[in-house]
Amino acid sequence: MAANTYSQKLLSLSRGNKRALVVTLDVVLALVSVWLAFYLRIDQTKLPVHQQIYPYALAPLLAVPIFIALGLYRAIFRYTGLAAMLAIVKAITVYGCLYFAVLFTFNWNDVPRSLGLIQPLLFLILVGGSRAFARFWLAGTSGKVMRERGRLLIYGAGEAGVQTATALAVSRQFSCKVYRRRRHQNQGSINGTKIIGLQDVATAIERLGITDILLAIPSLGRSQRNDIISKLRVLPVHVRTLPGMGDLAAGRVTVQDIQELDLEDLLGRAPIPPDRSLLARNLSGKVVLVTGAGGSIGSELCRKIILEKPKQLVLLEHGEFALYSIHGELSGLCKELELPVDIVPLLASVGNFGRLKEICQTYLPSTVYHAAAYKHVPLVESNPSEGVLNNVFGTLNMARAAMASKASHFVLISTDKAVRPTNVMGATKRMAELVLQALASRQRLSFYQPDGTLSPELENTTTFSMVRFGNVLGSSGSVVPLFRKQLLNGGPITVTHADVTRYFMTIPEAAQLVLQAGAMAEGGDVFVLDMGEPVKILDLAKRMAQLSGQTIRDSQNPNGDIEITIMGLRPGEKLYEELLIGNDPKPTVHPRIMKANEDTVPWDILAPLLIKLRHAAVQNDTDALKLILTQWVQGYAPASHFEGH
């Protein structure tokens, strides 16, 4: 405890005081090394006499200026490593040569010339030893991490694992107890840390008290990685991961790089690779507009779009801070990667047709990605009128503005909840799909104005399409951030129903799907992704708990770490989601993207219906609004019919 107190006092000193303290220490060590050199050479223990005083005075007078010139006093002791030690050797080598030359030249009485060889060697040992001692003494108390250290097993004894163990040795947050090799024959040790095989992992965890396993094999393929994770889930440890090889190559392996498992690891399947030619088709060299640019999907779309080097990227967002954040991020990315993209941040609401029309006529976007929407099921269920105005008529406003400015492509971001919806949010998204399908079927058409009159007839040269996908891991409102927060707080983890299942994909997958599908559109297309098997939410919760090193508390294990509570289905929530209304999807040029074959409503029938729907929404007539949705959205059943199908 006293050692920690003293070290904290030292660390709290100003930079100048610390340097003065180190200089004083080096002066003392220089004098001590001269005294030791006299003792070893001529067995002298008494104080220097006559000309023997000169070697004592010479040592600090030479050492301090040389150490300053070579930067020894700029080093931080608690981070001293091999490079710093080499600098010390270099400095004392220069010092030793000068020290010997002076003694040899002046040949003072009672001062052996060999003192010029012995003293620098002793000085090197004392200075190097002082730096090493300071590193190990101060490193453990230098940061804010003062809790008991975790015990770590690094899965992978390659270069990444060794670099990580070295970084962790300085941070003192974890104590590296053992490495895990994938091949049994390569067992041994690295820097004194034992390497074990797969058959010894469970025993090592119990014997050494391992708390965390770090996956340090960033070159592994996704299938191999998922296989390893499935085997580690049964062990009572917290599984963590390192970033990719790019970060490792850049030398950014620090304790902060150790993170929770990737969302792809929780997904349990390999991400769907993009078709690079499809990604660039509607983007490179063009003006692109993204609505909802600050949201989870919209922001990821923007990140992917600028990599394809459009001429201009227009960010449309109604939230000031969200727009500020994504604009700053994209500007920094363009500067870092030297991308010649003009980024235009615009505050606007999709409910304001006049503003949208002005924007489209000013910037003339070639491609519009419409991600702006209210998407949280319970909130839209409680605010159905706002859901209709934003999701249905916001889409209509943006589509109309894009069509008036002769945009080439318009892509709507839709959802699997639009398929036979049991909630208002899903019904509004399906109505938005019907609007675009109806627009796509006409080459010329008029729009009803708010006063009931028809607008002048417009020529339609825009290719409308929509992309429908399942739940996005890590987006706002997703279960994954919620579960992680609940795990951090000690539980319980809340699941609405034991049998709830969902299709899942990652945010990058969703963004790439939108960009690729939009490039394949011919008009009125509804694209869906082959997302593999749906995931049971309860299984996802258990997987996250196990990979965080916690056990589930239930009737079979009453002493478990964390409980899973079944809350009951929320209003509008259903047990199972679908991606298709019909059962006859068509393949596309992308092996994992399908085209749905859905029923449509002609524009002549839909247009007057939209007038009634808008009136009901403006008047906040929930009954009339839901009645219209029930009549025209296949499968929509409001009230209490949300138990599944």
Side-chain angles (χ1 to χ4, degrees), residues 423-457:
N423 52 71
V424 175
M425 194 282 285
T428 60
K429 295 299 284 186
R430 178 54 186 153
M431 279 297 296
E433 291 182 356
L434 289 173
V435 167
L436 294 192
Q437 289 174 311
L439 294 180
S441 66
R442 297 288 295 270
Q443 294 182 342
R444 301 186 68 85
L445 69 163
S446 298
F447 294 89
Y448 280 103
Q449 310 280 23
D451 60 4
T453 61
L454 283 172
S455 69
E457 195 173 60

PDB file of all heavy atoms in Angstrom, residues 423-457:
ATOM      1  N   ASN A 423     -48.156  -4.947 -36.854  1.00  0.00           N
ATOM      2  CA  ASN A 423     -47.938  -3.673 -36.173  1.00  0.00           C
ATOM      3  C   ASN A 423     -48.019  -2.534 -37.177  1.00  0.00           C
ATOM      4  O   ASN A 423     -47.893  -2.728 -38.385  1.00  0.00           O
ATOM      5  CB  ASN A 423     -46.588  -3.667 -35.449  1.00  0.00           C
ATOM      6  CG  ASN A 423     -45.444  -4.060 -36.370  1.00  0.00           C
ATOM      7  OD1 ASN A 423     -45.064  -3.305 -37.259  1.00  0.00           O
ATOM      8  ND2 ASN A 423     -44.907  -5.267 -36.167  1.00  0.00           N
ATOM      9  N   VAL A 424     -48.252  -1.330 -36.666  1.00  0.00           N
ATOM     10  CA  VAL A 424     -48.407  -0.157 -37.526  1.00  0.00           C
ATOM     11  C   VAL A 424     -47.116   0.130 -38.289  1.00  0.00           C
ATOM     12  O   VAL A 424     -47.143   0.495 -39.463  1.00  0.00           O
ATOM     13  CB  VAL A 424     -48.825   1.070 -36.691  1.00  0.00           C
ATOM     14  CG1 VAL A 424     -48.864   2.326 -37.556  1.00  0.00           C
ATOM     15  CG2 VAL A 424     -50.182   0.838 -36.052  1.00  0.00           C
ATOM     16  N   MET A 425     -45.961  -0.028 -37.627  1.00  0.00           N
ATOM     17  CA  MET A 425     -44.700   0.253 -38.304  1.00  0.00           C
ATOM     18  C   MET A 425     -44.554  -0.606 -39.552  1.00  0.00           C
ATOM     19  O   MET A 425     -44.253  -0.109 -40.646  1.00  0.00           O
ATOM     20  CB  MET A 425     -43.522   0.011 -37.351  1.00  0.00           C
ATOM     21  CG  MET A 425     -42.202   0.601 -37.861  1.00  0.00           C
ATOM     22  SD  MET A 425     -41.375  -0.378 -39.137  1.00  0.00           S
ATOM     23  CE  MET A 425     -40.720  -1.706 -38.149  1.00  0.00           C
ATOM     24  N   GLY A 426     -44.776  -1.914 -39.413  1.00  0.00           N
ATOM     25  CA  GLY A 426     -44.680  -2.800 -40.569  1.00  0.00           C
ATOM     26  C   GLY A 426     -45.694  -2.458 -41.643  1.00  0.00           C
ATOM     27  O   GLY A 426     -45.388  -2.501 -42.851  1.00  0.00           O
ATOM     28  N   ALA A 427     -46.921  -2.085 -41.230  1.00  0.00           N
ATOM     29  CA  ALA A 427     -47.962  -1.734 -42.195  1.00  0.00           C
ATOM     30  C   ALA A 427     -47.595  -0.467 -42.966  1.00  0.00           C
ATOM     31  O   ALA A 427     -47.830  -0.368 -44.175  1.00  0.00           O
ATOM     32  CB  ALA A 427     -49.298  -1.552 -41.476  1.00  0.00           C
ATOM     33  N   THR A 428     -46.995   0.514 -42.268  1.00  0.00           N
ATOM     34  CA  THR A 428     -46.598   1.738 -42.969  1.00  0.00           C
ATOM     35  C   THR A 428     -45.466   1.472 -43.953  1.00  0.00           C
ATOM     36  O   THR A 428     -45.417   2.078 -45.030  1.00  0.00           O
ATOM     37  CB  THR A 428     -46.155   2.823 -41.971  1.00  0.00           C
ATOM     38  OG1 THR A 428     -45.028   2.359 -41.203  1.00  0.00           O
ATOM     39  CG2 THR A 428     -47.287   3.194 -41.030  1.00  0.00           C
ATOM     40  N   LYS A 429     -44.557   0.580 -43.619  1.00  0.00           N
ATOM     41  CA  LYS A 429     -43.476   0.258 -44.544  1.00  0.00           C
ATOM     42  C   LYS A 429     -44.005  -0.489 -45.769  1.00  0.00           C
ATOM     43  O   LYS A 429     -43.532  -0.280 -46.887  1.00  0.00           O
ATOM     44  CB  LYS A 429     -42.397  -0.562 -43.837  1.00  0.00           C
ATOM     45  CG  LYS A 429     -41.663   0.178 -42.735  1.00  0.00           C
ATOM     46  CD  LYS A 429     -40.921   1.410 -43.240  1.00  0.00           C
ATOM     47  CE  LYS A 429     -39.645   1.052 -43.966  1.00  0.00           C
ATOM     48  NZ  LYS A 429     -38.856   2.253 -44.340  1.00  0.00           N
ATOM     49  N   ARG A 430     -45.000  -1.342 -45.568  1.00  0.00           N
ATOM     50  CA  ARG A 430     -45.595  -2.022 -46.720  1.00  0.00           C
ATOM     51  C   ARG A 430     -46.369  -1.027 -47.590  1.00  0.00           C
ATOM     52  O   ARG A 430     -46.333  -1.108 -48.820  1.00  0.00           O
ATOM     53  CB  ARG A 430     -46.521  -3.148 -46.253  1.00  0.00           C
ATOM     54  CG  ARG A 430     -47.224  -3.892 -47.404  1.00  0.00           C
ATOM     55  CD  ARG A 430     -46.248  -4.424 -48.434  1.00  0.00           C
ATOM     56  NE  ARG A 430     -46.932  -5.003 -49.590  1.00  0.00           N
ATOM     57  CZ  ARG A 430     -46.411  -5.060 -50.815  1.00  0.00           C
ATOM     58  NH1 ARG A 430     -45.188  -4.569 -51.035  1.00  0.00           N
ATOM     59  NH2 ARG A 430     -47.089  -5.590 -51.808  1.00  0.00           N
ATOM     60  N   MET A 431     -47.042  -0.054 -46.965  1.00  0.00           N
ATOM     61  CA  MET A 431     -47.719   0.979 -47.744  1.00  0.00           C
ATOM     62  C   MET A 431     -46.698   1.786 -48.544  1.00  0.00           C
ATOM     63  O   MET A 431     -46.956   2.163 -49.704  1.00  0.00           O
ATOM     64  CB  MET A 431     -48.510   1.902 -46.821  1.00  0.00           C
ATOM     65  CG  MET A 431     -49.861   1.361 -46.383  1.00  0.00           C
ATOM     66  SD  MET A 431     -51.034   1.103 -47.752  1.00  0.00           S
ATOM     67  CE  MET A 431     -51.253   2.793 -48.337  1.00  0.00           C
ATOM     68  N   ALA A 432     -45.546   2.068 -47.956  1.00  0.00           N
ATOM     69  CA  ALA A 432     -44.494   2.787 -48.683  1.00  0.00           C
ATOM     70  C   ALA A 432     -44.027   1.964 -49.881  1.00  0.00           C
ATOM     71  O   ALA A 432     -43.774   2.518 -50.968  1.00  0.00           O
ATOM     72  CB  ALA A 432     -43.317   3.082 -47.751  1.00  0.00           C
ATOM     73  N   GLU A 433     -43.920   0.645 -49.714  1.00  0.00           N
ATOM     74  CA  GLU A 433     -43.568  -0.226 -50.840  1.00  0.00           C
ATOM     75  C   GLU A 433     -44.630  -0.153 -51.928  1.00  0.00           C
ATOM     76  O   GLU A 433     -44.314  -0.075 -53.123  1.00  0.00           O
ATOM     77  CB  GLU A 433     -43.413  -1.672 -50.355  1.00  0.00           C
ATOM     78  CG  GLU A 433     -42.208  -1.927 -49.470  1.00  0.00           C
ATOM     79  CD  GLU A 433     -42.090  -3.393 -49.064  1.00  0.00           C
ATOM     80  OE1 GLU A 433     -42.999  -4.191 -49.414  1.00  0.00           O
ATOM     81  OE2 GLU A 433     -41.101  -3.748 -48.404  1.00  0.00           O
ATOM     82  N   LEU A 434     -45.909  -0.190 -51.531  1.00  0.00           N
ATOM     83  CA  LEU A 434     -47.002  -0.119 -52.507  1.00  0.00           C
ATOM     84  C   LEU A 434     -46.958   1.190 -53.287  1.00  0.00           C
ATOM     85  O   LEU A 434     -47.245   1.220 -54.495  1.00  0.00           O
ATOM     86  CB  LEU A 434     -48.348  -0.266 -51.794  1.00  0.00           C
ATOM     87  CG  LEU A 434     -48.675  -1.662 -51.244  1.00  0.00           C
ATOM     88  CD1 LEU A 434     -49.958  -1.618 -50.407  1.00  0.00           C
ATOM     89  CD2 LEU A 434     -48.814  -2.676 -52.379  1.00  0.00           C
ATOM     90  N   VAL A 435     -46.610   2.285 -52.597  1.00  0.00           N
ATOM     91  CA  VAL A 435     -46.498   3.576 -53.271  1.00  0.00           C
ATOM     92  C   VAL A 435     -45.439   3.513 -54.371  1.00  0.00           C
ATOM     93  O   VAL A 435     -45.676   3.927 -55.518  1.00  0.00           O
ATOM     94  CB  VAL A 435     -46.160   4.686 -52.256  1.00  0.00           C
ATOM     95  CG1 VAL A 435     -45.737   5.970 -52.970  1.00  0.00           C
ATOM     96  CG2 VAL A 435     -47.346   4.959 -51.350  1.00  0.00           C
ATOM     97  N   LEU A 436     -44.268   2.992 -54.050  1.00  0.00           N
ATOM     98  CA  LEU A 436     -43.192   2.937 -55.041  1.00  0.00           C
ATOM     99  C   LEU A 436     -43.510   1.962 -56.166  1.00  0.00           C
ATOM    100  O   LEU A 436     -43.188   2.217 -57.334  1.00  0.00           O
ATOM    101  CB  LEU A 436     -41.872   2.545 -54.365  1.00  0.00           C
ATOM    102  CG  LEU A 436     -41.290   3.541 -53.359  1.00  0.00           C
ATOM    103  CD1 LEU A 436     -39.856   3.157 -53.016  1.00  0.00           C
ATOM    104  CD2 LEU A 436     -41.336   4.960 -53.882  1.00  0.00           C
ATOM    105  N   GLN A 437     -44.155   0.849 -55.839  1.00  0.00           N
ATOM    106  CA  GLN A 437     -44.542  -0.093 -56.879  1.00  0.00           C
ATOM    107  C   GLN A 437     -45.548   0.533 -57.837  1.00  0.00           C
ATOM    108  O   GLN A 437     -45.485   0.325 -59.053  1.00  0.00           O
ATOM    109  CB  GLN A 437     -45.121  -1.368 -56.249  1.00  0.00           C
ATOM    110  CG  GLN A 437     -44.078  -2.235 -55.562  1.00  0.00           C
ATOM    111  CD  GLN A 437     -44.705  -3.411 -54.827  1.00  0.00           C
ATOM    112  OE1 GLN A 437     -45.652  -3.248 -54.072  1.00  0.00           O
ATOM    113  NE2 GLN A 437     -44.161  -4.599 -55.052  1.00  0.00           N
ATOM    114  N   ALA A 438     -46.466   1.316 -57.283  1.00  0.00           N
ATOM    115  CA  ALA A 438     -47.457   1.986 -58.133  1.00  0.00           C
ATOM    116  C   ALA A 438     -46.797   3.049 -59.006  1.00  0.00           C
ATOM    117  O   ALA A 438     -47.120   3.189 -60.202  1.00  0.00           O
ATOM    118  CB  ALA A 438     -48.545   2.607 -57.263  1.00  0.00           C
ATOM    119  N   LEU A 439     -45.871   3.822 -58.439  1.00  0.00           N
ATOM    120  CA  LEU A 439     -45.162   4.828 -59.226  1.00  0.00           C
ATOM    121  C   LEU A 439     -44.359   4.179 -60.350  1.00  0.00           C
ATOM    122  O   LEU A 439     -44.292   4.716 -61.459  1.00  0.00           O
ATOM    123  CB  LEU A 439     -44.226   5.641 -58.324  1.00  0.00           C
ATOM    124  CG  LEU A 439     -44.863   6.531 -57.252  1.00  0.00           C
ATOM    125  CD1 LEU A 439     -43.773   7.246 -56.464  1.00  0.00           C
ATOM    126  CD2 LEU A 439     -45.826   7.536 -57.855  1.00  0.00           C
ATOM    127  N   ALA A 440     -43.729   3.043 -60.037  1.00  0.00           N
ATOM    128  CA  ALA A 440     -42.882   2.374 -61.025  1.00  0.00           C
ATOM    129  C   ALA A 440     -43.679   1.871 -62.221  1.00  0.00           C
ATOM    130  O   ALA A 440     -43.119   1.669 -63.308  1.00  0.00           O
ATOM    131  CB  ALA A 440     -42.132   1.218 -60.367  1.00  0.00           C
ATOM    132  N   SER A 441     -44.972   1.665 -62.046  1.00  0.00           N
ATOM    133  CA  SER A 441     -45.796   1.100 -63.125  1.00  0.00           C
ATOM    134  C   SER A 441     -46.293   2.159 -64.105  1.00  0.00           C
ATOM    135  O   SER A 441     -46.918   1.821 -65.108  1.00  0.00           O
ATOM    136  CB  SER A 441     -46.997   0.363 -62.523  1.00  0.00           C
ATOM    137  OG  SER A 441     -47.870   1.278 -61.862  1.00  0.00           O
ATOM    138  N   ARG A 442     -46.042   3.439 -63.830  1.00  0.00           N
ATOM    139  CA  ARG A 442     -46.551   4.508 -64.686  1.00  0.00           C
ATOM    140  C   ARG A 442     -45.411   5.330 -65.277  1.00  0.00           C
ATOM    141  O   ARG A 442     -44.460   5.688 -64.589  1.00  0.00           O
ATOM    142  CB  ARG A 442     -47.466   5.428 -63.864  1.00  0.00           C
ATOM    143  CG  ARG A 442     -48.724   4.751 -63.318  1.00  0.00           C
ATOM    144  CD  ARG A 442     -49.724   4.479 -64.437  1.00  0.00           C
ATOM    145  NE  ARG A 442     -50.204   5.741 -65.000  1.00  0.00           N
ATOM    146  CZ  ARG A 442     -51.272   6.391 -64.541  1.00  0.00           C
ATOM    147  NH1 ARG A 442     -51.964   5.895 -63.518  1.00  0.00           N
ATOM    148  NH2 ARG A 442     -51.650   7.519 -65.104  1.00  0.00           N
ATOM    149  N   GLN A 443     -45.527   5.665 -66.568  1.00  0.00           N
ATOM    150  CA  GLN A 443     -44.539   6.514 -67.220  1.00  0.00           C
ATOM    151  C   GLN A 443     -44.862   7.996 -67.059  1.00  0.00           C
ATOM    152  O   GLN A 443     -43.976   8.840 -67.113  1.00  0.00           O
ATOM    153  CB  GLN A 443     -44.441   6.171 -68.711  1.00  0.00           C
ATOM    154  CG  GLN A 443     -43.889   4.770 -68.965  1.00  0.00           C
ATOM    155  CD  GLN A 443     -43.758   4.472 -70.440  1.00  0.00           C
ATOM    156  OE1 GLN A 443     -44.362   5.143 -71.278  1.00  0.00           O
ATOM    157  NE2 GLN A 443     -42.974   3.449 -70.763  1.00  0.00           N
ATOM    158  N   ARG A 444     -46.148   8.316 -66.884  1.00  0.00           N
ATOM    159  CA  ARG A 444     -46.581   9.688 -66.629  1.00  0.00           C
ATOM    160  C   ARG A 444     -47.679   9.640 -65.573  1.00  0.00           C
ATOM    161  O   ARG A 444     -48.537   8.755 -65.599  1.00  0.00           O
ATOM    162  CB  ARG A 444     -47.102  10.369 -67.898  1.00  0.00           C
ATOM    163  CG  ARG A 444     -46.094  10.455 -69.036  1.00  0.00           C
ATOM    164  CD  ARG A 444     -46.654  11.275 -70.188  1.00  0.00           C
ATOM    165  NE  ARG A 444     -46.809  12.678 -69.846  1.00  0.00           N
ATOM    166  CZ  ARG A 444     -45.836  13.591 -69.926  1.00  0.00           C
ATOM    167  NH1 ARG A 444     -44.635  13.238 -70.347  1.00  0.00           N
ATOM    168  NH2 ARG A 444     -46.061  14.844 -69.586  1.00  0.00           N
ATOM    169  N   LEU A 445     -47.680  10.570 -64.630  1.00  0.00           N
ATOM    170  CA  LEU A 445     -48.708  10.550 -63.598  1.00  0.00           C
ATOM    171  C   LEU A 445     -48.797  11.897 -62.909  1.00  0.00           C
ATOM    172  O   LEU A 445     -47.869  12.713 -62.964  1.00  0.00           O
ATOM    173  CB  LEU A 445     -48.452   9.451 -62.573  1.00  0.00           C
ATOM    174  CG  LEU A 445     -47.259   9.575 -61.620  1.00  0.00           C
ATOM    175  CD1 LEU A 445     -47.438   8.634 -60.449  1.00  0.00           C
ATOM    176  CD2 LEU A 445     -45.944   9.241 -62.320  1.00  0.00           C
ATOM    177  N   SER A 446     -49.924  12.129 -62.251  1.00  0.00           N
ATOM    178  CA  SER A 446     -50.160  13.334 -61.468  1.00  0.00           C
ATOM    179  C   SER A 446     -50.311  12.958 -60.006  1.00  0.00           C
ATOM    180  O   SER A 446     -50.645  11.807 -59.670  1.00  0.00           O
ATOM    181  CB  SER A 446     -51.419  14.060 -61.957  1.00  0.00           C
ATOM    182  OG  SER A 446     -51.279  14.490 -63.295  1.00  0.00           O
ATOM    183  N   PHE A 447     -50.098  13.944 -59.132  1.00  0.00           N
ATOM    184  CA  PHE A 447     -50.217  13.725 -57.693  1.00  0.00           C
ATOM    185  C   PHE A 447     -51.323  14.615 -57.143  1.00  0.00           C
ATOM    186  O   PHE A 447     -51.503  15.760 -57.578  1.00  0.00           O
ATOM    187  CB  PHE A 447     -48.893  14.065 -56.993  1.00  0.00           C
ATOM    188  CG  PHE A 447     -47.767  13.149 -57.349  1.00  0.00           C
ATOM    189  CD1 PHE A 447     -46.950  13.437 -58.443  1.00  0.00           C
ATOM    190  CD2 PHE A 447     -47.511  12.011 -56.619  1.00  0.00           C
ATOM    191  CE1 PHE A 447     -45.906  12.601 -58.780  1.00  0.00           C
ATOM    192  CE2 PHE A 447     -46.465  11.160 -56.941  1.00  0.00           C
ATOM    193  CZ  PHE A 447     -45.665  11.451 -58.024  1.00  0.00           C
ATOM    194  N   TYR A 448     -52.043  14.075 -56.167  1.00  0.00           N
ATOM    195  CA  TYR A 448     -53.033  14.886 -55.475  1.00  0.00           C
ATOM    196  C   TYR A 448     -52.319  15.863 -54.546  1.00  0.00           C
ATOM    197  O   TYR A 448     -51.444  15.485 -53.770  1.00  0.00           O
ATOM    198  CB  TYR A 448     -53.998  14.011 -54.670  1.00  0.00           C
ATOM    199  CG  TYR A 448     -55.099  13.389 -55.505  1.00  0.00           C
ATOM    200  CD1 TYR A 448     -55.048  12.056 -55.877  1.00  0.00           C
ATOM    201  CD2 TYR A 448     -56.196  14.154 -55.900  1.00  0.00           C
ATOM    202  CE1 TYR A 448     -56.053  11.484 -56.635  1.00  0.00           C
ATOM    203  CE2 TYR A 448     -57.216  13.591 -56.665  1.00  0.00           C
ATOM    204  CZ  TYR A 448     -57.139  12.256 -57.034  1.00  0.00           C
ATOM    205  OH  TYR A 448     -58.135  11.688 -57.791  1.00  0.00           O
ATOM    206  N   GLN A 449     -52.730  17.130 -54.605  1.00  0.00           N
ATOM    207  CA  GLN A 449     -52.214  18.148 -53.706  1.00  0.00           C
ATOM    208  C   GLN A 449     -52.959  18.058 -52.377  1.00  0.00           C
ATOM    209  O   GLN A 449     -54.032  17.448 -52.294  1.00  0.00           O
ATOM    210  CB  GLN A 449     -52.419  19.543 -54.318  1.00  0.00           C
ATOM    211  CG  GLN A 449     -51.937  19.679 -55.748  1.00  0.00           C
ATOM    212  CD  GLN A 449     -50.432  19.872 -55.858  1.00  0.00           C
ATOM    213  OE1 GLN A 449     -49.684  19.495 -54.961  1.00  0.00           O
ATOM    214  NE2 GLN A 449     -49.994  20.435 -56.958  1.00  0.00           N
ATOM    215  N   PRO A 450     -52.422  18.654 -51.291  1.00  0.00           N
ATOM    216  CA  PRO A 450     -53.128  18.648 -50.002  1.00  0.00           C
ATOM    217  C   PRO A 450     -54.538  19.231 -50.080  1.00  0.00           C
ATOM    218  O   PRO A 450     -55.413  18.853 -49.301  1.00  0.00           O
ATOM    219  CB  PRO A 450     -52.221  19.508 -49.101  1.00  0.00           C
ATOM    220  CG  PRO A 450     -50.862  19.344 -49.696  1.00  0.00           C
ATOM    221  CD  PRO A 450     -51.077  19.243 -51.170  1.00  0.00           C
ATOM    222  N   ASP A 451     -54.769  20.155 -51.032  1.00  0.00           N
ATOM    223  CA  ASP A 451     -56.106  20.731 -51.161  1.00  0.00           C
ATOM    224  C   ASP A 451     -57.038  19.888 -52.014  1.00  0.00           C
ATOM    225  O   ASP A 451     -58.182  20.282 -52.278  1.00  0.00           O
ATOM    226  CB  ASP A 451     -56.020  22.154 -51.734  1.00  0.00           C
ATOM    227  CG  ASP A 451     -55.374  22.173 -53.125  1.00  0.00           C
ATOM    228  OD1 ASP A 451     -55.067  21.085 -53.662  1.00  0.00           O
ATOM    229  OD2 ASP A 451     -55.169  23.278 -53.662  1.00  0.00           O
ATOM    230  N   GLY A 452     -56.571  18.724 -52.485  1.00  0.00           N
ATOM    231  CA  GLY A 452     -57.404  17.823 -53.253  1.00  0.00           C
ATOM    232  C   GLY A 452     -57.296  17.983 -54.751  1.00  0.00           C
ATOM    233  O   GLY A 452     -57.850  17.162 -55.505  1.00  0.00           O
ATOM    234  N   THR A 453     -56.595  19.018 -55.238  1.00  0.00           N
ATOM    235  CA  THR A 453     -56.432  19.204 -56.675  1.00  0.00           C
ATOM    236  C   THR A 453     -55.264  18.362 -57.183  1.00  0.00           C
ATOM    237  O   THR A 453     -54.398  17.937 -56.404  1.00  0.00           O
ATOM    238  CB  THR A 453     -56.165  20.680 -56.999  1.00  0.00           C
ATOM    239  OG1 THR A 453     -54.954  21.089 -56.359  1.00  0.00           O
ATOM    240  CG2 THR A 453     -57.324  21.545 -56.499  1.00  0.00           C
ATOM    241  N   LEU A 454     -55.229  18.144 -58.509  1.00  0.00           N
ATOM    242  CA  LEU A 454     -54.167  17.360 -59.115  1.00  0.00           C
ATOM    243  C   LEU A 454     -53.022  18.257 -59.565  1.00  0.00           C
ATOM    244  O   LEU A 454     -53.244  19.357 -60.083  1.00  0.00           O
ATOM    245  CB  LEU A 454     -54.697  16.569 -60.309  1.00  0.00           C
ATOM    246  CG  LEU A 454     -55.507  15.307 -60.002  1.00  0.00           C
ATOM    247  CD1 LEU A 454     -56.127  14.747 -61.279  1.00  0.00           C
ATOM    248  CD2 LEU A 454     -54.643  14.251 -59.331  1.00  0.00           C
ATOM    249  N   SER A 455     -51.812  17.770 -59.369  1.00  0.00           N
ATOM    250  CA  SER A 455     -50.638  18.496 -59.851  1.00  0.00           C
ATOM    251  C   SER A 455     -50.514  18.311 -61.360  1.00  0.00           C
ATOM    252  O   SER A 455     -51.137  17.410 -61.941  1.00  0.00           O
ATOM    253  CB  SER A 455     -49.380  17.955 -59.169  1.00  0.00           C
ATOM    254  OG  SER A 455     -49.104  16.635 -59.620  1.00  0.00           O
ATOM    255  N   PRO A 456     -49.720  19.153 -62.011  1.00  0.00           N
ATOM    256  CA  PRO A 456     -49.458  18.915 -63.433  1.00  0.00           C
ATOM    257  C   PRO A 456     -48.845  17.525 -63.637  1.00  0.00           C
ATOM    258  O   PRO A 456     -48.117  17.020 -62.782  1.00  0.00           O
ATOM    259  CB  PRO A 456     -48.465  20.022 -63.804  1.00  0.00           C
ATOM    260  CG  PRO A 456     -48.688  21.087 -62.790  1.00  0.00           C
ATOM    261  CD  PRO A 456     -49.059  20.377 -61.524  1.00  0.00           C
ATOM    262  N   GLU A 457     -49.123  16.918 -64.770  1.00  0.00           N
ATOM    263  CA  GLU A 457     -48.633  15.570 -65.045  1.00  0.00           C
ATOM    264  C   GLU A 457     -47.106  15.586 -65.202  1.00  0.00           C
ATOM    265  O   GLU A 457     -46.543  16.454 -65.858  1.00  0.00           O
ATOM    266  CB  GLU A 457     -49.286  15.015 -66.308  1.00  0.00           C
ATOM    267  CG  GLU A 457     -49.112  13.513 -66.469  1.00  0.00           C
ATOM    268  CD  GLU A 457     -49.902  12.971 -67.641  1.00  0.00           C
ATOM    269  OE1 GLU A 457     -49.635  13.414 -68.772  1.00  0.00           O
ATOM    270  OE2 GLU A 457     -50.792  12.124 -67.415  1.00  0.00           O
TER     271      GLU A 457
END
